[in-house]
Amino acid sequence: MVELLGAGEAAVVTRVCELLVPGSAAGRPDRYLAATLAGLSAGEEDAVHAAIGVLAGVTDARELSRLAGSAAFERFRRLAIEAGYGDHAPPGRRGPDGADVLVVGLGGAPIAADLAGRGADVLLLDVVPAPARFVSTVDEVVLAGGPGPVAAERAPAADVAKFHQSTGLLGATGPFGPEDLEPWYSRVEARLGPPDSSDRSPAVVEPGFVALGTPLRPRLSWPSIPAPGGARVRTRHGVRHVLLDTAGRRPKVTGVAYTRDGCDGELRAPVVVLAAGPLETPRILVRTGEQAGLDTPSARLAGRTLGLHPARLVYGWFPEPAGCATTACCDSHDGIAVEATVRPEPVAFAEGLVDPRDRPLWGGRLAEVVRGYPHWLGLRVLVADDNTAVADLGLGGEVVVGKRFSTAERRRLAAALEFGVAVLRAAGARDVVWSGLTAAHPQGGAPMGDDPARSVVGPDGRSHDVDGLYVGDGSVLPAVLSVPPALTVLALAAKVAGAIR
């Protein structure tokens, strides 16, 4: 098809596209355009050749700027963007519907960047998650999940001990031993650079912690996770399940089935990494098992060990209008964590409030609280739960998360609320209100471990049941962390990427 463009025309296309989108020449826009010409009408093909003629004399950005806004300029700008950022494949790649590795979910961006940096053709899918409903099986408490702050810490020793207990590992070895996690933590921290502390606000609530004799630790945070680097990216894909070849002794990956804009399709790759989050990844695993008829102890565990970090937002009314007042956090001996949170906009603020009997707040009390909206300062109090939530599939394919709170969890939740109220009161709050339960930092659902009877993936994120299938997000955590999990998830993702060859 290259003969549809002459050598001189190909050179013009490459040169102009590189000026428009630096780096796009590496995607060989001349090859892409040549392949496209075959499907155009004679009139459209003539228009492309005419545009090349208009731009033939352009050699630098100044000359190109004189043509900005012209039809030829706009045509080549679109071509350059497609060549630089689109999902077509440059020479030597598998094609627009295939790759060496498919990474499902933007949470897998660090894995995609690592593999692409080693020369693999990586296609990263920005997935559209299936709808999710959080419902408690006790008292009909509705849990509304949402993104947590961009904050992270290394897993404390007590959390690592929980990991070993839940996976049946002995000693401080295996996927969660200090000597195993340390190099991956260090690698991620070096990549992220120094933590960002520029968002620290006036310390309004610290006196409350001090008055209660509770030490504060700074909450480390970073602005974002690493970008996907040289990986191709496709958007708005609803991944239904992983495609498997079950003809051999063990099932092996052949790609994924997806829905995009109402149309079904398939993408092909010998390796698939699921990194769509602890709700979406287990859903895909469950659907994959159903489609392929997998019935193993490991397959049956998918979605069974979800942790939710049950949490409440507790607000104190202060005489001076306040925003997010501290970046410090506090951990009590009861597994309670307290962190600053940004007050939501007025509608969400009002909708989330409950009365002391955990019923939605309404009437005169609601109006009184919302009138003082600028003066309410919020803390989020959360507890480490027992990983007993279960992610199942609803009749419409949605994720339904069921959670039964144990007596111990209810005591921790009550203690967390009591502690948050006490901190705000001790800091000088004249009134205190709080929200119903929410779910922060979902974790688990595809635990990592050595024993297939107690885990879904091995210590390197590789599926116990399917060759070529990996999990590289917070789903692999076998027990919920007592701190925000982002740093540990990134460290484990780096380890998973290192295992893919």
Side-chain angles (χ1 to χ4, degrees):
M1 292 182 286
V2 179
E3 64 270 12
L4 294 175
L5 283 180
E9 289 182 314
V12 172
V13 169
T14 301
R15 182 174 68 248
V16 174
C17 283
E18 183 66 19
L19 288 171
L20 287 163
V21 178
S24 61
R28 293 300 302 272
D30 57 325
R31 299 273 185 103
Y32 180 58
L33 181 57
T36 304
L37 285 174
L40 298 181
S41 67
E44 291 170 332
E45 184 179 341
D46 288 343
V48 170
H49 288 293
I52 294 174
V54 171
L55 296 169
V58 171
T59 60
D60 58 33
R62 178 190 292 182
E63 293 172 347
L64 183 60
S65 68
R66 296 192 184 108
L67 296 170
S70 68
F73 180 96
E74 291 301 325
R75 184 181 297 276
F76 271 77
R77 181 174 177 273
R78 287 195 299 271
L79 173 63
I81 289 172
E82 290 174 5
Y85 307 120
D87 58 18
H88 78 279
R93 301 308 194 186
R94 291 177 179 265
D97 294 325
D100 295 331
V101 181
L102 289 174
V103 180
V104 178
L106 289 185
I111 296 176
D114 190 309
L115 297 175
R118 293 180 354 220
D121 179 19
V122 182
L123 185 54
L124 176 64
L125 303 182
D126 178 10
V127 298
V128 178
R133 275 192 298 125
F134 293 79
V135 294
S136 170
T137 53
V138 178
D139 299 339
E140 297 302 319
V141 177
V142 177
L143 300 177
V150 183
E153 297 182 42
R154 293 191 178 198
D159 287 346
V160 175
K162 284 197 304 181
F163 290 167
H164 286 279
Q165 181 180 8
S166 62
T167 56
L169 297 169
L170 300 176
T173 60
F176 304 109
E179 73 287 350
D180 185 82
L181 282 175
E182 168 60 34
W184 302 109
Y185 275 132
S186 297
R187 179 178 299 190
V188 168
E189 288 167 345
R191 183 182 299 171
L192 291 172
D196 179 15
S197 58
S198 60
D199 61 347
R200 181 175 290 274
S201 303
V204 176
V205 301
E206 273 86 342
F209 290 99
V210 173
L212 297 178
T214 305
L216 290 171
R217 294 184 293 108
R219 175 70 82 207
L220 302 178
S221 62
W222 286 268
S224 64
I225 64 173
R232 295 181 283 139
V233 180
R234 295 182 69 167
T235 60
R236 305 191 314 278
H237 280 64
V239 174
R240 301 196 306 277
H241 57 271
V242 179
L243 298 170
L244 304 181
D245 178 358
T246 58
R249 185 179 62 86
R250 278 173 56 88
K252 62 181 180 181
V253 163
T254 62
V256 300
Y258 70 89
T259 300
R260 186 187 191 206
D261 298 332
C263 298
D264 294 340
E266 295 181 353
L267 296 169
R268 296 291 174 176
V271 175
V272 169
V273 182
L274 298 180
L279 299 182
E280 190 70 1
T281 288
R283 180 193 67 80
I284 296 171
L285 287 170
V286 172
R287 286 289 301 271
T288 300
E290 291 179 349
Q291 290 288 321
L294 295 178
D295 188 21
T296 66
S298 176
R300 290 193 292 270
L301 273 177
R304 301 293 97 180
T305 58
L306 198 63
L308 296 175
H309 263 184
R312 292 181 189 272
L313 301 176
V314 186
Y315 304 99
W317 191 96
F318 290 85
E320 296 296 325
C324 182
T326 177
T327 57
C329 70
C330 157
D331 294 307
S332 80
H333 65 278
D334 295 318
I336 300 168
V338 180
E339 58 191 27
T341 186
V342 177
R343 182 180 58 243
E345 50 83 21
V347 172
F349 172 74
E351 286 182 342
L353 296 174
V354 298
D355 66 18
R357 296 179 63 181
D358 239 12
R359 300 174 303 187
L361 195 64
W362 65 285
R365 176 57 172 160
L366 177 62
E368 174 191 13
V369 170
V370 176
R371 273 197 301 270
Y373 173 77
H375 295 261
W376 292 101
L377 183 149
L379 295 174
R380 178 159 61 176
V381 293
L382 54 87
V383 302
D385 67 350
D386 296 333
N387 284 81
T388 56
V390 175
D392 277 321
L393 298 181
L395 295 177
E398 75 277 15
V399 180
V400 180
V401 179
K403 171 66 178 177
R404 181 180 295 276
F405 289 97
S406 69
T407 300
E409 287 174 321
R410 288 177 176 274
R411 287 173 179 164
R412 287 200 293 273
L413 286 167
L417 175 58
E418 182 180 347
F419 182 75
V421 170
V423 166
L424 292 168
R425 290 286 190 190
R430 298 182 182 178
D431 194 4
V432 179
V433 294
W434 54 85
S435 74
L437 284 177
T438 65
H441 317 136
Q443 301 162 57
M448 174 184 284
D450 288 326
D451 184 359
R454 303 179 70 171
S455 58
V456 173
V457 298
D460 57 0
R462 191 191 314 262
S463 167
H464 288 308
D465 296 326
V466 178
D467 291 339
L469 180 60
Y470 293 79
V471 176
D473 60 18
S475 305
V476 303
L477 292 171
V480 71
L481 289 173
S482 61
V483 297
L487 195 65
T488 301
V489 172
L490 286 173
L492 291 172
K495 182 180 181 186
V496 171
I500 299 173
R501 301 297 176 188

